[in-house]
Amino acid sequence: MVVIDEKAFCPPPPYAPGSLAPPPFAGSSSQPIGISALPPNLLLHVIYLTFPRTPGIDEVAMERQRSTLYWLTYQLRLVNHAFYLACMHILRSTYLPAYQSRIRAPYTSDPFPMSSCATSSDGSLDTIQRETRVFDIFIALKAREDFFMDASELHTSREELFKDLFGLMQPRSRLEDLVRHYGMREGAVYITSPNAPSSSSAASTHSGHASSGSMRRHTKVHRQTSVPFSALSISFSQRKAGLLLLDSGRKRTILEVIRVANERLEVPAKKLAKQLRAWLDYA
């Protein structure tokens, strides 16, 4: 089995909001305005214009398109936050059909959470949807493989990379997203935002002059009733799925369920969510 080095194919970070270029006409008149300062719809249109309209002399239009997609993946989206957003819109919409065609039955997929509230509050494409990261790794793999297949007849396709991606990483991340969904419905899981105040600071703001003892009681009750999704992960195999909790910097398995052959991921996800609710009520 070939192990995918996630760091090698990991997409660039979505960049901090502070790395955004200034809006057009902002600041003094002498301040230079770059192309990344264009409104998002215009910047997206400019990037679309980089795709081939007619075939080249020695290459067909499809090969030039794959070359452009490779350029977007490994060069243009690394420039800054604005280019990252525009490129990811194009890349994710372009590669979504190819990604979904590789999902192994009976597994399900939702790498583009259109109906989810999982989009980050800073307007970026970074989401809490765990499968989105797997989708982005697939884009990096697929763009690279297509480009090198076109560039040289000596390049050997490495399909084993995709087998690992869809045999383990995709169902595991999808199961984590499903546990989040059903766990929130059970009231056992909650979402934490990077920009949101912590439970202790929120309690302090709300209570004003509350004593430290009452704040400790508030935190204890909160921990017993639900856990943050960021502290949960899944151990996944053909025979069982386990729920891991990050506690004091260490992960420990708190729940396990047996998996049945050809079972949809929704089944163990619902079981884990219900057992987590019972585990929290008992704790």
Side-chain angles (χ1 to χ4, degrees):
M1 175 179 290
V2 177
V3 178
I4 295 179
D5 184 359
E6 296 186 40
K7 295 182 179 179
F9 294 99
C10 182
Y15 300 94
S19 62
L20 280 167
F25 312 112
S28 63
S29 58
S30 61
Q31 184 177 9
I33 302 298
I35 187 175
S36 59
L38 289 172
N41 61 320
L42 292 182
L43 183 60
L44 195 62
H45 180 68
V46 170
I47 296 177
Y48 268 118
L49 291 177
T50 65
F51 283 88
R53 297 295 186 272
T54 57
I57 299 176
D58 298 321
E59 56 183 351
V60 297
M62 187 59 67
E63 291 181 358
R64 293 179 61 200
Q65 177 174 319
R66 288 194 287 262
S67 178
T68 303
L69 290 169
Y70 178 85
W71 173 65
L72 262 62
T73 304
Y74 287 95
Q75 297 183 43
L76 187 61
R77 71 172 177 168
L78 304 178
V79 174
N80 58 24
H81 179 79
F83 276 111
Y84 175 85
L85 291 180
C87 290
M88 290 309 297
H89 273 295
I90 295 174
L91 291 169
R92 288 176 177 174
S93 59
T94 299
Y95 285 104
L96 183 59
Y99 176 84
Q100 291 181 326
S101 68
R102 290 176 176 264
I103 301 299
R104 300 183 179 183
Y107 299 155
T108 57
S109 172
D110 184 22
F112 241 165
M114 294 297 188
S115 60
S116 172
C117 60
T119 305
S120 64
S121 59
D122 62 4
S124 72
L125 287 181
D126 190 28
T127 72
I128 61 169
Q129 196 85 348
R130 302 276 176 90
E131 192 185 358
T132 304
R133 172 179 168 81
V134 178
F135 181 31
D136 289 346
I137 293 175
F138 169 79
I139 291 174
L141 282 170
K142 182 64 174 170
R144 183 183 183 279
E145 288 299 298
D146 288 348
F147 176 77
F148 282 103
M149 286 291 290
D150 291 335
S152 174
E153 295 181 355
L154 300 178
H155 180 73
T156 303
S157 177
R158 296 184 294 173
E159 282 295 317
E160 66 273 10
L161 295 178
F162 296 104
K163 290 180 180 179
D164 290 344
L165 194 72
F166 291 95
L168 174 61
M169 296 175 63
Q170 188 275 329
R172 182 180 61 194
S173 62
R174 173 60 174 160
L175 184 55
E176 288 176 342
D177 290 331
L178 289 170
V179 168
R180 185 198 76 230
H181 172 73
Y182 293 118
M184 292 180 67
R185 196 167 69 178
E186 293 284 341
V189 176
Y190 66 93
I191 303 300
T192 55
S193 171
N195 299 323
S198 64
S199 58
S200 59
S201 61
S204 176
T205 303
H206 177 73
S207 60
H209 300 286
S211 65
S212 59
S214 62
M215 289 179 61
R216 285 195 296 270
R217 287 194 298 271
H218 172 83
T219 304
K220 182 178 180 181
V221 170
H222 189 66
R223 286 177 179 173
Q224 289 180 346
T225 56
S226 60
V227 294
F229 178 60
S230 58
L232 296 176
S233 58
I234 290 289
S235 62
F236 184 83
S237 67
Q238 292 183 346
R239 297 185 178 182
K240 60 184 179 180
L243 188 63
L244 283 68
L245 176 66
L246 180 64
D247 186 16
S248 301
R250 299 181 62 181
K251 290 183 178 181
R252 59 188 179 98
T253 302
I254 58 174
L255 299 168
E256 278 190 345
V257 294
I258 302 299
R259 294 188 60 232
V260 180
N262 298 321
E263 182 180 61
R264 289 171 58 87
L265 293 173
E266 284 78 0
V267 176
K270 290 179 180 178
K271 291 179 181 178
L272 287 171
K274 289 183 179 296
Q275 290 187 18
L276 178 60
R277 175 70 277 159
W279 183 84
L280 288 168
D281 291 339
Y282 178 78

